[in-house]
Amino acid sequence: MAQETLLSYLQKKGVISDADATRVQVERARSPRNEETIIREMGLADNVAIAKAKSEIFNIPYIDLNKLSISDSIVSEVPIDNLKKYKVVPFERDESSVKLAMLDPFDVQATQALERRYPPNTKLIVYISTEEGINMILDRRVGDVMSSEVTQALEDVDVPVQEISEDPNLIDSIDLKNAPVARIVNSIMQYAVISKTSDIHIEPMETRLRVRFRINGIMMERLSLPKTLGPATSSRVKIMSNLKIDEKRLPQDGRFQIKVGKIKVDIRVSVMPTIHGEKVVMRLLESDTSGITLETTGIRGSAYKIYLDALSVTNGIILVTGPTGSGKTRTLASSLIKINDPKVNIISLENPVEIRVPGVSQIQINPDIGLTFSNGLRSVLRQDPDIVMVGEIRDQETAELAVQASLTGHLVLSTLHTNSAPAAIPRLLDMGIEPYLLASTLRLIAAQRLPRRICKHCIQAFPAPPGAVKTLTSSLSGIKNFNLTQYLNRVIMAKKQKGEDASAVLRPPEVGPDGNQIIYLYKGAGCDRCGGSGYSGRVGIFEVLDVSEKISRMVMEDVSAQDIEHQALDDGMLSMIQDGYLKALEGITSIEEVLRVSKE
């Protein structure tokens, strides 16, 4: 009897529908990729569902590493490099056997390599687990190295050891130099990569050197070093960035690249003199764009369809608005990745180039030599572009050039600093753009913010307070033909069909003993995986304004942003706060996060 395939098993269990199974089979017939890869790429089942299915098919037990407390002594028996290479975690040990959680239990090379690490006749008992669970344990193990590495480095430079914050997520080593200060700087950068930090701040203070990391948009202090290390630390970063070591009076900017495992990261450096010494800020820009997709930004539903339709036109202006740090650059980069094709010529003007998109000609703005957005855009239009991305419209000249470019058959993508999508229209009019030109070129405006995601490992449901219920129902009542109970039931059913364990946490509204409706919200209790914060990662909340004929006429009549917003909501636009509330009701983020970012 032939062994059941992964696809047929997931189809039999109702995780994958018959229609989706047919899509997988069609793709499999015309592609060298296997079923599992195609299922993952199509998002038809998550890693847990796939691992459990393989467990049943191959009769190999499944283990959820998130629910285990694993002794460091068990994991430390095998070098961390080997464990990371083969994606394996030893989680239980006795005198005659060791239990291994593996991503690929059929990796013979891995089991042979591990056998050599244990005494002869030690039995290896193999389990199957998910990559996320294995990485979580290995990152924690790597994190145990930080305190000892930094402490040893401090001892080598012969200074007293001050407070070092221990964190479970640290770092392996990177092959730079072995000087004590270099090891400290390497450890800081590698911790930043592992913890998905966006910015590192190394700040000289009156009595110490403070190291802070911006994780999920929030600044967190993780390390405190002796103040005497300040000059050596800034000099080390300057060497890596090709900056002048002896220049300590003026600001300097530079960049370099590091590689941690398979992850390449571009690091943009800013060195600024302060009264206590030089402050170093490093912005981490991931070089790998494989995980940057329009679908992962948080835009979805009708807003996603409207946005895709706007990207498919050959001319016009698409704007993404929001404050600094709201994810505009990532949304534009994912948009370029979506429409990138060898048949079209895409050129971008950015300051700085943060996300490198293969196949796109990206130009770094440099005002010091006269390469501004406006001057650069003039030259770009002589390069026969089909699509132009302008990092930001800051002045009348750039705005006028963007309008002229769209009128002459180019699709222009750019950003504006406004608090809402409708507010972008008065801003452009204030810049001096003629209303009739703006009405004929503007295609779409998207506004966004980035609240933090609730950690999926410690998410908890709780009844919303009466005040929150009133606020939620009042805001969501503005959505046409919307029923909260039906909506949440559909969300829960969709998650169950995908095999997501988190669906068990979500709860639809109920009627309480007093006859009042009970609505559930969610929070993270705090765990090792999220560093006790209750949050892990960020997600976008959006409002997408489709510039319809009615709104175009309103632009020509120079009406207020409030009137445009009312018309857009009547046309079916979901406001940013409504999108945020829906994501809070789905357990994606919290009400507190939605309100926090909405005030920015």
Side-chain angles (χ1 to χ4, degrees), residues 520-544:
Y520 289 92
L521 295 176
Y522 305 88
K523 63 181 179 181
C527 64
D528 291 342
R529 271 80 74 184
C530 62
S533 68
Y535 296 99
S536 179
R538 292 193 287 177
V539 64
I541 57 173
F542 289 82
E543 62 182 24
V544 177

Side-chain angles (χ1 to χ4, degrees), residues 299-458:
I299 189 170
R300 59 185 189 172
S302 59
Y304 177 75
K305 183 179 183 303
I306 292 167
Y307 194 89
L308 278 186
D309 289 344
L311 287 175
S312 66
V313 301
T314 56
N315 61 78
I317 298 175
I318 296 174
L319 293 175
V320 180
T321 74
T324 301
S326 60
K328 302 187 298 295
T329 300
R330 192 178 183 88
T331 298
L332 285 181
S334 63
S335 302
L336 293 183
I337 292 170
K338 189 77 174 178
I339 58 179
N340 193 10
D341 189 281
K343 298 176 183 177
V344 296
N345 181 20
I346 305 177
I347 304 178
S348 75
L349 289 161
E350 303 170 64
N351 186 24
V353 176
E354 294 190 0
I355 300 173
R356 300 185 182 184
V357 183
V360 174
S361 301
Q362 296 176 274
I363 301 168
Q364 174 91 31
I365 292 301
N366 189 347
D368 293 340
I369 60 172
L371 182 54
T372 61
F373 280 115
S374 54
N375 291 339
L377 186 52
R378 282 195 189 90
S379 299
V380 162
L381 294 176
R382 293 192 286 271
Q383 290 278 314
D384 185 32
D386 298 293
I387 300 166
V388 178
M389 197 271 272
V390 182
E392 183 182 350
I393 295 178
R394 298 180 178 178
D395 51 43
Q396 179 179 355
E397 189 176 10
T398 307
E400 288 176 344
L401 284 168
V403 168
Q404 292 300 322
S406 66
L407 287 170
T408 53
H410 304 88
L411 179 62
V412 180
L413 287 75
S414 190
T415 70
L416 268 181
H417 284 277
T418 60
N419 290 328
S420 67
I425 293 173
R427 175 68 59 86
L428 290 170
L429 294 174
D430 290 343
M431 285 183 179
I433 304 300
E434 293 293 339
Y436 73 93
L437 290 176
L438 190 60
S440 60
T441 56
L442 201 56
R443 294 283 181 266
L444 177 142
I445 308 168
Q448 70 175 97
R449 300 290 189 278
L450 279 181
R452 291 179 290 173
R453 283 181 180 271
I454 296 174
C455 174
K456 64 180 181 180
H457 299 292
C458 60

